[in-house]
């Protein structure tokens, strides 16, 4: 399993020695116990929640939030938040740097991710994604109508969705062009209800003395090696989240204009040194 965006200059592998191995084992073991222990609780609760509430999940999202918040305590990685997540119906969009985005964004708000279908087959992450209500989509044009129906069903149920319009993760120092096709289902739904999309900028600051792209996951980087260096680091950096003003989806703009506006918002909030 690896990311797909590529760069000519990959950072040198980090070496943490025996103490790094010990830190990784200690943090990883605690994180695994909390994650998969809570996953078991979530699945048990869902056995009751699903037949009673259907798509609505009044209980299990709080279990997900607990796991995600606990992860940053275990890592010792602080999160600084500017702005407020919206209350309106609709979705969030954010830049994508690594698998850590899923934890940091889920920790702040009860949301449901929109992800490429391949993620459902990934060991570990795929199981967690399915259990927490992720919406899986393909890139086949023949599935466009099915995806529109999925989005409409979730929005009607009051779910706030979150997706990464770049379509891949990067080194965290830039924002790639947003894919406008992802926004079409929202335009198809605005005749029923007023919808908003809130852009979110996610900036990772590396630990002092480490490569500025420390938390980025891209190119041919394996998930295991990235997870290990995050767990083994002797000190952590900082994550900054900026919630921008939500943009209302209306007939006055098309999906390409909306994608460009949201991309500009996210890029403006990315706090990286020149």
């Amino acid at each position: 399993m690896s990311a797909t965006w590529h760069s000519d200059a990959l950072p040198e592998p980090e070496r943490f020695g025996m103490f790094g191995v010990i830190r990784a084992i200690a943090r990883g073991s605690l994180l695994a116990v909390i994650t998969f222990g809570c996953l078991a609780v979530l699945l048990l609760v869902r056995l009751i929640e699903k037949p009673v509430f259907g798509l609505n999940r009044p209980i299990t999202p709080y279990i997900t939030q607990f796991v995600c918040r606990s992860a940053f305590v275990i890592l010792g990685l602080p999160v600084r938040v500017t702005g407020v997540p919206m209350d309106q119906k609709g979705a969030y969009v954010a830049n994508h740097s690594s698998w850590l985005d899923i934890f940091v964004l889920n920790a702040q708000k009860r949301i449901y991710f929109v992800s490429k279908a391949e993620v459902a087959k990934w060991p570990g992450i795929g199981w967690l994604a399915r259990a927490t209500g992720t919406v899986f989509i393909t890139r086949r044009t023949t599935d466009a109508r099915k995806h529109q129906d999925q989005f409409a069903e979730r929005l009607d149920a009051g779910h706030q969705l979150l997706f990464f319009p770049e379509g891949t993760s990067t080194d965290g120092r830039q924002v790639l062009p947003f894919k406008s096709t992802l926004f079409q289902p929202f335009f198809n739904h605005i005749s029923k209800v007023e919808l908003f999309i809130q852009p979110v900028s996610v900036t990772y600051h590396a630990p002092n003395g480490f490569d500025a792209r420390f938390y980025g996951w891209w190119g041919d980087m394996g998930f295991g090696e990235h997870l290990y260096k995050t767990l083994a680091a002797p000190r952590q950096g900082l994550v900054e989240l900026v919630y921008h003003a939500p943009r209302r989806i209306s007939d006055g703009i098309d999906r390409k204009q909306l994608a460009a506006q949201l991309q500009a918002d996210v890029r403006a909030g990315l706090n990286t040194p020149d």
Side-chain angles (χ1 to χ4, degrees):
M1 177 171 51
S2 65
T4 55
W5 178 79
H6 289 269
S7 171
D8 292 335
L10 290 175
E12 292 293 325
E14 303 291 350
R15 308 296 182 189
F16 299 110
M18 182 57 66
F19 287 111
V21 173
I22 294 172
R23 281 190 295 269
I25 292 174
R27 290 170 174 167
S29 298
L30 184 55
L31 185 58
V33 168
I34 290 177
T35 299
F36 291 102
C38 287
L39 174 61
V41 173
L42 184 150
L43 292 175
L44 288 173
V45 172
R46 190 67 184 144
L47 289 175
I48 301 172
E49 192 182 52
K50 185 174 182 179
V52 175
F53 298 102
L55 277 178
N56 291 318
R57 294 174 175 240
I59 302 171
T60 51
Y62 292 105
I63 300 175
T64 303
Q65 275 194 306
F66 170 77
V67 172
C68 293
R69 291 174 178 175
S70 298
F72 289 94
V73 174
I74 293 169
L75 290 173
L77 178 58
V79 180
R80 180 186 301 160
V81 181
T82 302
V84 180
M86 68 179 182
D87 292 323
Q88 297 97 323
K89 286 189 175 182
Y92 298 85
V93 295
N95 58 301
H96 191 19
S97 301
S98 84
W99 54 272
L100 280 166
D101 300 337
I102 297 170
F103 282 84
V104 72
L105 291 163
N106 244 328
Q108 311 306 316
K109 180 72 175 178
R110 294 176 58 187
I111 52 176
Y112 299 89
F113 283 89
V114 178
S115 175
K116 57 186 179 181
E118 303 94 279
V119 173
K121 300 177 182 178
W122 291 357
I125 291 181
W127 306 332
L128 294 171
R130 290 195 299 272
T132 53
T134 298
V135 180
F136 296 105
I137 60 174
T138 68
R139 296 176 183 175
R140 295 190 298 267
T141 55
T142 54
D143 290 336
R145 182 50 191 254
K146 181 179 74 173
H147 297 154
Q148 291 175 15
D149 292 342
Q150 285 179 307
F151 280 26
E153 186 179 39
R154 291 302 192 94
L155 292 169
D156 288 340
H159 290 191
Q160 289 185 322
L161 305 176
L162 190 147
F163 58 103
F164 301 111
E166 294 168 291
T168 185
S169 57
T170 72
D171 60 4
R173 316 300 292 169
Q174 59 198 291
V175 178
L176 302 178
F178 281 10
K179 299 180 185 300
S180 64
T181 53
L182 294 172
F183 297 94
Q184 188 58 47
F186 297 97
F187 283 90
N188 295 340
H189 199 66
I190 59 175
S191 60
K192 298 182 180 180
V193 64
E194 188 175 51
L195 297 176
F196 292 81
I197 295 185
Q198 184 170 27
V200 187
S201 302
V202 186
T203 305
Y204 291 92
H205 298 278
N208 290 335
F210 288 89
D211 190 293
R213 302 164 295 170
F214 182 83
Y215 293 109
W217 177 53
W218 77 96
D220 295 323
M221 293 181 183
F223 172 71
E225 63 182 280
H226 192 277
L227 174 63
Y228 169 74
K229 80 169 185 178
T230 305
L231 293 171
R235 55 190 177 279
Q236 299 288 354
L238 170 71
V239 188
E240 282 190 90
L241 284 184
V242 178
Y243 286 89
H244 302 278
R247 289 190 176 272
R248 179 177 175 271
I249 302 174
S250 68
D251 294 325
I253 60 173
D254 60 28
R255 72 187 192 195
K256 291 186 178 180
Q257 291 172 314
L258 178 63
Q261 291 173 352
L262 293 168
Q263 179 187 327
D265 291 338
V266 172
R267 179 177 286 118
L270 199 65
N271 184 18
T272 56
D274 295 331

